[in-house]
Structure formats: structure tokens, C-alpha cells
Amino acid sequence: MKIITISREFGSGGREFSRRLADVLDFDYYDKEIINAISLNKGMDKNYVNRIMEKDERANIPLTFGKSFAGIFSNSTQTELLLEQKKVIEEIAKAENNCVIVGRNADVLLSDYKPFNIFVCADMDSKIDRCLKHVREDESRDVKNIKKKIYSIDKNRIQLREFITDKIWGEPANYHLTLNTSNWDLKELALTSAEFIKSWYKGLVND
Amino acid sequence: MKIITISREFGSGGREFSRRLADVLDFDYYDKEIINAISLNKGMDKNYVNRIMEKDERANIPLTFGKSFAGIFSNSTQTELLLEQKKVIEEIAKAENNCVIVGRNADVLLSDYKPFNIFVCADMDSKIDRCLKHVREDESRDVKNIKKKIYSIDKNRIQLREFITDKIWGEPANYHLTLNTSNWDLKELALTSAEFIKSWYKGLVND
């Protein structure tokens, strides 16, 4: 079984890239599906779950949440949902199907399964352009605000990661491959990355 | 003309990878060749040039060395050699042959030529293993010392870069592709990376 995890900067196109990569490789794909599973298991609305997972309730998570997930937990809903998320991600791995998992620190949570870990980034200008293309009608088109949003969401990801691992988010040596999507057609990038990944696995077999 | 620049962590195998990549692509290759050119132009011994370029005389370089290379320079030999190096690297670009250039902040110096910039890293354990394989008889085989050397050389590279650009060394978005050599056969990595780079250039043509 092969697991590919993808961490990504907000606005880098990491999600679209992941979807396309899963298609090219014919792997299962997990992204929002994880949120859906959590909301089903917990009997909570999935939008509510998503909001809680993305937003800032971390102040309630004790540091003992740490690597083992075995410390004393507060009653915060986010902690509960993060634990459920961990369970869902482990169940995905246990199903033993080749898959691509987007975000959620799956690279760390599933390290025992030796996933191939990708980090997807982009230049700030490309990220702003991409955000502008996807902005909703009720959202600001002001570049300053978009930049602020990009920083804020990634900061959130960095901080959340700090609770579960000392493998710093975005640090190249913590990933097998780091891709910069700027100026790439994501379809082409998925195709060529798939070949790269196949070479990696071929090398492992030959070891 | 296509220019590929390669920045690399010490011990990552970045140099061997670069050589192999240039071979696969049939590109010219510049590494020590740059030091040789500097020593010829300046009438200095190449080992002396190399030692000066790698070692710590940066204290003598005024901050005005900065981005423009046009500030007031001290008389330090290193500053003189860094300027000569800049000239040599620009001459390589002006020759308009496809090439791979290792290190020396060529990605920044040649940004007008829009090079394809690669950063090569590896896990600390792999870097130590690689260093142990290449250790000279008169050098320490003590892992602590090797780790110290790895940190020290890379710190040097980080600091030297800070003088000429705000594009932080090793920060993923400053490169087109970041490769982790751990567990790769470098020959295979060069082959698959060459395909990746060809796709990139194909995309540019189609733009």
C-alpha cells in the first residue's frame, strides 16, 4: 500500500494538485471526506466541524496533547475532533488502499506507514492571484486582506502542527518532495510529479 | 538558453546530483570551474581562493555589499573574490549555453535570466552517513563533529546569502523544486528530475 500525504500553503493550489495527482495515479483521495467522516461519527454538522477544525480554539488544548496523544485532554470540542480526526486518518491507512491524503498532518500521524510526503508552496503573487480567482462574492477582493488571510491560515497550520510534532511545517527535509506551483499548469505538474513518485517507489523496491 | 541553479545543504549529495543532472540533460556544468576561473583571472592559487570563499571573512564585508553590489567595499580579499565570482557567473550566462551551476547564489545573481532553481536537502542522518563515506583520513569520524561541520558550513551559506538577497536560503517558495535526496539513488533522482524539468520548460513554451 502506498500513502501520499500533501501539506500545502494556502493559495498554492495544493488541493487541486492533490486531486489531480490522485486521479493520475488512480489512488483514493481524502480531503473533505475526512471532515465528513468526523461529522458522521460525532453526529455533528460538517460545516460546524470544519469551522472548529480550522479556527482558533487551540488555546484550550493542553501541551500534553503532544506526540503521544495520550496526555490529559481538556474538554474543548477541537481537541475531541482532532482525536476523532486522528482515528479517521488511521482507519484510512488500515484499509490498505493506495491513497492521497490532503493536510491534517497525516504525514506525522501516519509516519509508521512510511508515506511519501509532499509539501506544496507557491510565490506570494501566485497565491494572491489564485485566491482572487476563487474569492466568493461576499469576500474582500482587497489584496492586503487576501495576503492577511494567507498568512493567518498558514500560521494556524504551523501552530497546530507544533502541538503534535517537532517536524516543522514546510521545512524541506521533513518532506520527500517540495513543489512550487507558480507558473505550472497543475494538470502537467500532477503528471510529472506522478512519474517522480513512481521512480521513488521503484527505488525502494530495488533497495 | 536554459540555466539550472542548484543550492544544496552540505552532505545532501547536491554536488553529485548536479553533475549527474548535467550529464543526463547534456548541459554544461559549473562548480569548481568557477573557482578555477576566479583564480586564473586574479592570478591566485585556486586552493587559496576556495579557502577564502568558504571561510569566514564576512565580518569584513560591509552591509552595503547588498543587493546592488554597488556600495562601498572594504578591501577584504573575500569581497574582491565575491565580485570576481559574480563576474564569472554572469559571463557563463552570457555565453548562452544550457548549463547547471552549483551553489554560489547563482539563482539570485542570474535572476534576470530566469533560471530553474533547485534546492537539494536531506535528513540529518543521511547527511551524516554521506559525510562519513567521504571523510578524509585526517578528518574526524566523530558524529558530533560531523554534525557541527554540517551546521557550520550551511550557516556560512545562509549568512553569505543574506548579504546579497532577502530570498532566504532553503525557503521552498524561493526555488522551483526542492529535492530531498534521502533514500534516493542519485542517478535515478537525476533521471527523474530531468524529466520534471523538461515538463517545466515545455509548459513555459506553451504559455
Side-chain angles (χ1 to χ4, degrees), chain A residues 88-132:
Chain A
V88 168
I89 289 173
E90 284 170 347
E91 275 160 17
I92 292 169
K94 279 181 201 145
E96 297 204 344
N97 295 318
N98 295 335
C99 62
V100 171
I101 306 177
V102 181
R104 298 171 180 87
N105 294 306
D107 55 327
V108 176
L109 296 176
L110 300 182
S111 60
D112 288 349
Y113 292 86
K114 302 206 177 305
F116 185 89
N117 303 317
I118 302 178
F119 186 80
V120 180
C121 68
D123 309 342
M124 183 51 80
D125 286 349
S126 319
K127 292 193 284 191
I128 291 170
D129 283 352
R130 191 177 300 276
C131 287
L132 278 170

Side-chain angles (χ1 to χ4, degrees), chain A residues 33-80:
Chain A
E33 293 75 5
I34 294 169
I35 297 293
N36 296 351
I38 297 168
S39 68
L40 264 176
N41 295 354
K42 287 289 173 183
M44 288 173 183
D45 175 72
K46 64 184 178 186
N47 292 322
Y48 174 74
V49 170
N50 197 35
R51 218 162 51 238
I52 296 281
M53 300 297 270
E54 296 275 318
K55 296 290 177 195
D56 218 348
E57 282 202 27
R58 283 184 325 280
N60 297 327
I61 309 176
L63 281 167
T64 44
F65 188 75
K67 284 172 207 171
S68 63
F69 283 85
I72 302 151
F73 299 106
S74 79
N75 291 320
S76 101
T77 315
Q78 199 196 33
T79 308
E80 187 190 334

Side-chain angles (χ1 to χ4, degrees), chain A residues 4-185:
Chain A
I4 296 171
T5 75
I6 300 182
S7 311
R8 78 288 183 215
E9 290 179 356
F10 184 74
S12 67
R15 174 169 286 159
E16 184 188 334
F17 166 77
S18 305
R19 173 84 250 180
R20 289 184 178 280
L21 182 67
D23 279 352
V24 173
L25 292 168
D26 198 21
F27 279 22
D28 291 346
Y29 174 75
Y30 294 98
D31 178 13
K32 300 271 182 201
E33 293 75 5
I34 294 169
I35 297 293
N36 296 351
I38 297 168
S39 68
L40 264 176
N41 295 354
K42 287 289 173 183
M44 288 173 183
D45 175 72
K46 64 184 178 186
N47 292 322
Y48 174 74
V49 170
N50 197 35
R51 218 162 51 238
I52 296 281
M53 300 297 270
E54 296 275 318
K55 296 290 177 195
D56 218 348
E57 282 202 27
R58 283 184 325 280
N60 297 327
I61 309 176
L63 281 167
T64 44
F65 188 75
K67 284 172 207 171
S68 63
F69 283 85
I72 302 151
F73 299 106
S74 79
N75 291 320
S76 101
T77 315
Q78 199 196 33
T79 308
E80 187 190 334
L81 294 182
L82 281 170
L83 282 170
E84 185 61 32
Q85 178 168 273
K86 181 175 182 288
K87 234 174 75 188
V88 168
I89 289 173
E90 284 170 347
E91 275 160 17
I92 292 169
K94 279 181 201 145
E96 297 204 344
N97 295 318
N98 295 335
C99 62
V100 171
I101 306 177
V102 181
R104 298 171 180 87
N105 294 306
D107 55 327
V108 176
L109 296 176
L110 300 182
S111 60
D112 288 349
Y113 292 86
K114 302 206 177 305
F116 185 89
N117 303 317
I118 302 178
F119 186 80
V120 180
C121 68
D123 309 342
M124 183 51 80
D125 286 349
S126 319
K127 292 193 284 191
I128 291 170
D129 283 352
R130 191 177 300 276
C131 287
L132 278 170
K133 269 183 209 149
H134 294 91
V135 89
R136 286 197 315 263
E137 268 192 23
D138 60 329
E139 285 177 325
S140 166
R141 296 188 63 82
D142 179 73
V143 167
K144 248 191 202 163
N145 285 340
I146 287 176
K147 221 166 161 174
K148 219 167 132 185
K149 188 180 172 186
I150 291 172
Y151 279 124
S152 145
I153 292 181
D154 283 352
K155 196 177 154 199
N156 215 31
R157 289 175 182 168
I158 291 166
Q159 288 179 340
L160 194 51
R161 190 174 174 95
E162 275 174 4
F163 278 98
I164 62 163
T165 179
D166 54 359
K167 285 190 179 299
I168 297 169
W169 188 82
E171 195 165 276
N174 294 333
Y175 304 89
H176 295 86
L177 178 64
T178 302
L179 300 169
N180 183 336
T181 59
S182 311
N183 292 100
W184 269 104
D185 173 276

Side-chain angles (χ1 to χ4, degrees), chain B residues 1 103 124 126 157 176:
Chain B
M1 176 202 33
M124 183 51 82
S126 318
R157 289 174 182 170
H176 295 86

Side-chain angles (χ1 to χ4, degrees), chain A residues 123 173 175 178 180 192 196 199-200, chain B residues 123 173 175 178 180 192 196 199:
Chain A
D123 309 342
Y175 304 89
T178 302
N180 183 336
T192 194
F196 189 98
S199 292
W200 162 262
Chain B
D123 309 344
Y175 305 89
T178 302
N180 183 335
T192 193
F196 189 98
S199 292

Side-chain angles (χ1 to χ4, degrees), chain B residues 6-41:
Chain B
I6 300 183
S7 310
R8 75 289 183 214
E9 289 180 356
F10 184 74
S12 66
R15 175 169 285 162
E16 183 189 334
F17 166 76
S18 305
R19 175 85 250 178
R20 289 185 178 278
L21 183 66
D23 279 352
V24 172
L25 292 169
D26 197 21
F27 280 21
D28 291 347
Y29 174 75
Y30 295 100
D31 177 12
K32 301 271 184 199
E33 292 76 3
I34 294 169
I35 297 292
N36 296 351
I38 297 168
S39 68
L40 264 177
N41 295 353

Side-chain angles (χ1 to χ4, degrees), chain B residues 137-190:
Chain B
E137 267 192 23
D138 60 329
E139 287 177 324
S140 165
R141 297 189 61 83
D142 180 72
V143 168
K144 250 192 202 161
N145 285 341
I146 287 177
K147 223 167 161 173
K148 221 167 130 185
K149 188 178 170 188
I150 291 173
Y151 280 124
S152 145
I153 292 181
D154 283 352
K155 198 177 153 199
N156 217 31
R157 289 174 182 170
I158 291 166
Q159 289 179 338
L160 196 49
R161 190 173 174 94
E162 276 174 3
F163 279 99
I164 62 162
T165 179
D166 54 358
K167 287 193 178 295
I168 298 170
W169 188 84
E171 195 165 274
N174 294 333
Y175 305 89
H176 295 86
L177 177 64
T178 302
L179 300 168
N180 183 335
T181 59
S182 312
N183 292 102
W184 269 103
D185 173 275
L186 292 180
K187 205 170 148 185
E188 287 304 319
L189 182 59

